[in-house]
Amino acid sequence: MDEEERREMCPICKTDRYLSPNMRFLVNPECYHKICESCVDRIFSLGPAQCPYLGCDKILRRNKFKSQVFEDVGVEKEVDIRKRVFNVFNKTLDDFEGDQDEFNKYLEEVEDIIYNLDNGIDVVNVEEKLKSYEDMNRQLILANVERSRQDIMNFEQRQKFEKEMKMKKRSLERQIEQEERANAEWAKKEIVNQLSMGSSSDEVIENVKKTVKLKKSSARRKLEDLNKVLRNNPYTMLQNGKLRKKDVSKTPFTPFNGDRDLSKRYKLTTDIYNDPFIVQLEKRKDFVASGFQTSVVYDRLLTEAFLGLGCYISEEKKTQKSSLIL
Amino acid sequence: MSNLVSYTKEKKVGEGTFAVVYLGHQQNGPTPNRRVAIKEIKTSSFKDGMDMSAIREMKFLQELRHVNIIELVDVYNENENLNLVLEFLPADLEMIIKDKNILFGQADIKMWILMTLRGVHHCHRNFILHRDLKPNNLLLSPDGQLKIADFGLARAIPMPQDILTSNVVTRWYRAPELLFGGKHYTYSVDMWSVGVIFAELMLRIPYLPGKDDVDQIDLTFRALGTPTDRDWPEVSSFPSYNRIKIYPPPSREELRKRFIAATENALNLMCGMLTMNPQKRWDVAQCLQSPYFIELPEPTDPIELPKLTKNEA
């Protein structure tokens, strides 16, 4: 039996590709031994079991099985390792603030880890390293995952936007073409009409041409607008990376413009304050219906009660003066 | 406010029953040659004293200092007339919306609404209701900053026993509880106005242009659905509730069709501000935290916002 034939046969149940063309092979990243789908179902459906290959003592679980992408098991294995390592070591050049040397060093280190894992060198130590790095940098890793997710989302949004714009543009162009054709026909008819009424030919043609020119279609105007929008398309600007650079130097955007006072001047220790007068108002229909809220009343009263406490005007004046001198 | 500063009145730009507005310059003081608008209140010609709105305007503008609120530079008395010196702002949002030569996009709308909300946030945290928010009262400075102006109808948040007049806010921007004649409203009336302005910016035509007060009620509910006691407790206790027609609230799909360019987050924000029940309507902090302001496109830098093409000089 030559190599070609063996590849097309499950080594466990000896099912042949020739007889069951729907057969799929799965591998488990523990040992990368190829097993056909029905064997996986049969052997591992009752829970973890030993790999059925002779001499392989790895315990495999069914949910870890996946279909093989690359024919070469070595490649497959390396790709898996890479995927795993890059999930943890996911820094980008931005994290090093553009320091190329540092970034290269970091990449070299990651490459070493992958090589060691791939070739089984010092696996225990390397695994340890991976784990400790993951624990130490959990925050950063999550942030980077989020960022790459956002990059992908931005990219998708941009593609969608551009596609829509292109569609619109095309339909407008088609409209313009149609209108132009209609106009040309109209002009022809008009010329013939007017000539039949006996006016001088040159003048008629000139006049008709002028009116056609004036009939600049609304579709054309829309197209111009669209082109303008396309030109300052926010996504393309992001793509060029110019906008992003500029934004870094600017204060970051916040909806409140950094001007939001979250610390109240008071703290409520209880939610229920039983003021019979206000409680009564709260129940009256005309108050409820017009949107009266007791919290608003309390907020104003309490804030005003404590307003100015803890402000020392003399001290503030002092610092003001000194800053003026400076 | 120093006494050394003086002002010139150069050009009359408008006149109302109670006030005349001039353009002028600051003569000396810290910022000489600064352009200002001077509002001269005609006190001398009235026996009953001066107009209430001038007092309100002064009272609140003296307290409020914020980039998105018009600055009251000075107040002085001359020939028994009171003069309010205000920041000079050449344009307002209504002009921008109406000028069909101006193109603006989602990012521009976002910045304008953002600046409006920031200004409103500053009013509300100082316990002030503006009560007359509309594009006409949102002025634009030459460097693109939007500033809330006209505090003639403003008042402090009421004490619980106070009865407020429901005859406030320009009709098209009037919240449903005001249309019904509610007398104990709070911040939510301003939020409704901002919601209508937001819709107007997206449509570029007034969203709810009622012909009169009755028509306004009808139009509002036709567009947004008639509220019931279930989503707005005790709404039926308003005396005028019985006379209105019942319309179903618009489906999401209908809103999407009406506001084609709006994203889902934009629609959420708008619907939040245009919630019928004033108790459930989003407050200003909630609006500012909307994901709409964080998603792309980023709000335009104020300096790059569209301006009037004609130069008003």
Side-chain angles (χ1 to χ4, degrees):
Chain A
M1 209 186 288
D2 59 297
E3 188 69 14
E4 187 68 24
E5 257 172 78
R6 207 177 306 144
R7 201 170 285 145
E8 292 304 306
M9 194 173 89
C10 173
I12 309 303
C13 59
K14 312 288 181 207
T15 310
D16 205 310
R17 167 81 72 193
Y18 182 72
L19 294 173
S20 49
N22 289 336
M23 186 167 64
R24 273 179 67 218
F25 285 111
L26 300 176
V27 293
N28 192 303
E30 284 289 333
C31 60
Y32 291 97
H33 284 140
K34 208 161 71 173
I35 307 168
C36 86
E37 203 173 10
S38 68
C39 284
V40 170
D41 281 344
R42 184 167 48 82
I43 300 169
F44 300 99
S45 58
L46 289 175
Q50 205 178 359
C51 175
Y53 271 67
L54 212 64
C56 180
D57 53 357
K58 289 269 171 20
I59 301 295
L60 308 180
R61 281 161 202 282
R62 191 181 167 189
N63 60 354
K64 286 279 160 64
F65 275 96
K66 56 187 199 90
S67 56
Q68 198 171 338
V69 180
F70 300 98
E71 202 150 343
D72 189 338
V73 171
V75 175
E76 180 81 20
K77 188 177 166 196
E78 197 188 326
V79 167
D80 281 344
I81 290 170
R82 266 177 200 285
K83 211 182 267 172
R84 197 173 120 228
V85 173
F86 282 138
N87 269 339
V88 178
F89 286 87
N90 58 2
K91 282 188 184 176
T92 61
L93 190 55
D94 283 355
D95 289 315
F96 295 90
E97 283 155 2
D99 190 340
Q100 201 82 43
D101 284 350
E102 279 296 309
F103 185 52
N104 282 342
K105 250 184 233 168
Y106 163 82
L107 286 180
E108 185 70 35
E109 196 186 340
V110 175
E111 233 22 73
D112 280 347
I113 290 173
I114 292 169
Y115 182 82
N116 284 350
L117 283 177
D118 195 17
N119 293 298
I121 304 164
D122 205 8
V123 175
V124 182
N125 262 338
V126 175
E127 285 285 353
E128 186 64 35
K129 207 169 158 186
L130 199 68
K131 189 99 184 78
S132 66
Y133 178 87
E134 189 178 357
D135 286 339
M136 269 159 54
N137 294 296
R138 182 147 294 159
Q139 205 70 34
L140 185 77
I141 291 168
L142 282 178
N144 276 337
V145 167
E146 176 63 22
R147 192 172 58 192
S148 60
R149 202 178 57 87
Q150 214 138 52
D151 279 350
I152 291 170
M153 233 166 62
N154 281 351
F155 179 74
E156 277 170 359
Q157 266 183 2
R158 199 184 77 216
Q159 289 229 307
K160 212 175 118 196
F161 177 80
E162 282 176 355
K163 206 169 153 193
E164 263 170 40
M165 282 299 161
K166 256 184 208 149
M167 290 249 288
K168 261 192 204 164
K169 204 171 159 183
R170 209 168 304 144
S171 85
L172 279 178
E173 277 167 351
R174 207 171 303 140
Q175 211 176 324
I176 288 172
E177 211 171 282
Q178 264 171 13
E179 270 169 31
E180 259 165 16
R181 215 174 302 141
N183 274 347
E185 227 158 87
W186 174 85
K188 235 186 239 168
K189 266 187 201 159
E190 191 68 17
I191 289 170
V192 172
N193 264 350
Q194 296 205 5
L195 281 179
S196 70
M197 288 195 292
S199 19
S200 97
S201 60
D202 284 348
E203 204 177 301
V204 167
I205 291 169
E206 198 55 38
N207 273 342
V208 170
K209 267 186 186 160
K210 230 180 248 168
T211 27
V212 167
K213 227 177 236 171
L214 280 176
K215 275 192 173 176
K216 198 183 176 190
S217 70
S218 63
R220 191 176 289 255
R221 223 169 307 129
K222 267 188 210 152
L223 184 72
E224 271 164 24
D225 288 356
L226 199 72
N227 277 336
K228 218 174 266 174
V229 170
L230 272 177
R231 230 171 296 138
N232 39 30
N233 169 0
Y235 298 112
T236 47
M237 276 198 255
L238 272 180
Q239 193 183 22
N240 294 340
K242 271 181 196 160
L243 206 72
R244 219 176 247 184
K245 279 253 167 67
K246 206 173 84 189
D247 278 359
V248 173
S249 59
K250 247 174 28 182
T251 32
F253 170 81
T254 50
F256 289 85
N257 213 4
D259 181 22
R260 189 185 184 201
D261 196 5
L262 281 172
S263 56
K264 289 265 174 209
R265 286 167 200 279
Y266 57 88
K267 218 184 338 189
L268 292 177
T269 49
T270 165
D271 283 340
I272 312 143
Y273 171 67
N274 203 359
D275 181 330
F277 172 66
I278 291 180
V279 166
Q280 211 188 357
L281 290 183
E282 210 176 11
K283 285 184 190 140
R284 273 174 49 182
K285 280 185 179 176
D286 53 334
F287 276 75
V288 174
S290 44
F292 176 79
Q293 275 169 314
T294 41
S295 56
V296 173
V297 178
Y298 289 144
D299 186 38
R300 178 183 176 193
L301 291 175
L302 285 170
T303 307
E304 286 184 348
F306 294 108
L307 207 66
L309 291 184
C311 297
Y312 300 98
I313 295 173
S314 52
E315 274 178 24
E316 270 176 33
K317 272 193 172 166
K318 244 185 259 162
T319 53
Q320 214 171 33
K321 249 180 218 159
S322 59
S323 68
L324 271 181
I325 292 163
L326 281 171
Chain B
M1 290 177 188
S2 153
N3 289 327
L4 298 167
V5 190
S6 63
Y7 302 91
T8 54
K9 287 177 185 169
E10 281 150 26
K11 194 177 145 199
K12 193 160 140 183
V13 283
E15 176 157 13
T17 334
F18 297 106
V20 190
V21 181
Y22 298 94
L23 281 187
H25 279 93
Q26 199 164 356
Q27 285 303 66
N28 33 32
T31 48
N33 254 337
R34 178 183 176 187
R35 289 184 87 178
V36 289
I38 301 174
K39 203 170 183 176
E40 184 185 307
I41 317 275
K42 305 177 201 164
T43 33
S44 50
S45 51
F46 291 97
K47 272 185 239 139
D48 308 334
M50 64 174 160
D51 176 32
M52 185 68 182
S53 68
I55 301 182
R56 283 184 161 146
E57 184 140 30
M58 248 185 325
K59 184 173 158 191
F60 295 116
L61 283 180
Q62 272 183 340
E63 306 277 334
L64 296 169
R65 281 277 178 282
H66 191 268
V67 256
N68 299 122
I69 292 175
I70 191 169
E71 185 193 344
L72 179 66
V73 183
D74 209 345
V75 178
Y76 67 94
N77 202 3
E78 185 190 58
N79 311 330
E80 304 232 333
N81 282 340
L82 188 69
N83 290 272
L84 307 186
V85 183
L86 294 159
E87 202 175 346
F88 171 70
L89 298 165
D92 66 51
L93 205 53
E94 194 188 9
M95 297 178 186
I96 299 276
I97 293 173
K98 281 192 173 161
D99 190 337
K100 293 294 175 209
N101 293 321
I102 299 177
L103 278 173
F104 55 76
Q106 286 298 308
D108 306 329
I109 294 176
K110 192 176 283 187
M111 194 63 213
W112 280 322
I113 283 296
L114 184 65
M115 291 191 289
T116 311
L117 284 171
R118 280 175 182 165
V120 172
H121 176 245
H122 191 69
C123 294
H124 285 185
R125 73 172 162 187
N126 286 297
F127 308 105
I128 292 166
L129 300 178
H130 184 280
R131 303 202 297 181
D132 197 13
L133 289 171
K134 54 178 172 179
N136 191 278
N137 283 341
L138 302 176
L139 306 188
L140 298 167
S141 72
D143 61 352
Q145 288 289 349
L146 179 148
K147 305 198 181 235
I148 299 178
D150 195 352
F151 280 69
L153 281 172
R155 71 158 287 159
I157 205 73
M159 284 294 131
Q161 66 275 17
D162 290 351
I163 289 175
L164 279 61
T165 169
S166 58
N167 196 14
V168 288
V169 188
T170 307
R171 189 186 300 125
W172 297 349
Y173 307 93
R174 209 176 279 165
E177 65 265 32
L178 296 174
L179 295 171
F180 279 135
K183 302 223 176 316
H184 306 281
Y185 49 84
T186 59
Y187 306 120
S188 44
V189 291
D190 284 342
M191 298 321 296
W192 177 276
S193 307
V194 179
V196 180
I197 294 168
F198 188 22
E200 182 167 340
L201 278 171
M202 291 194 280
L203 297 173
R204 289 201 75 159
I205 47 163
Y207 183 45
L208 302 168
K211 285 191 277 295
D212 50 61
D213 289 1
V214 180
D215 187 45
Q216 186 66 40
I217 294 183
D218 192 65
L219 193 64
T220 305
F221 297 149
R222 203 168 346 132
L224 295 157
T226 310
T228 58
D229 271 349
R230 219 181 56 211
D231 40 50
W232 183 353
E234 305 297 351
V235 63
S236 58
S237 70
F238 283 122
S240 55
Y241 184 80
N242 295 329
R243 293 197 293 272
I244 58 171
K245 281 193 197 134
I246 305 290
Y247 296 104
S251 70
R252 192 76 177 178
E253 209 40 58
E254 278 164 4
L255 285 176
R256 276 192 204 118
K257 242 184 240 165
R258 183 87 211 260
F259 301 93
I260 301 168
T263 63
E264 288 306 293
N265 284 328
L267 280 183
N268 281 342
L269 174 64
M270 194 191 75
C271 292
M273 292 196 277
L274 295 179
T275 306
M276 285 291 159
N277 182 353
Q279 308 235 23
K280 284 197 194 134
R281 200 171 301 150
W282 289 16
D283 65 20
V284 67
Q286 211 178 340
C287 291
L288 280 169
Q289 287 166 65
S290 158
Y292 169 66
F293 294 113
I294 299 164
E295 73 177 0
L296 282 173
E298 281 174 46
T300 318
D301 204 343
I303 201 98
E304 284 157 16
L305 282 170
K307 309 222 165 51
L308 283 186
T309 39
K310 285 177 294 179
N311 220 343
E312 306 255 330

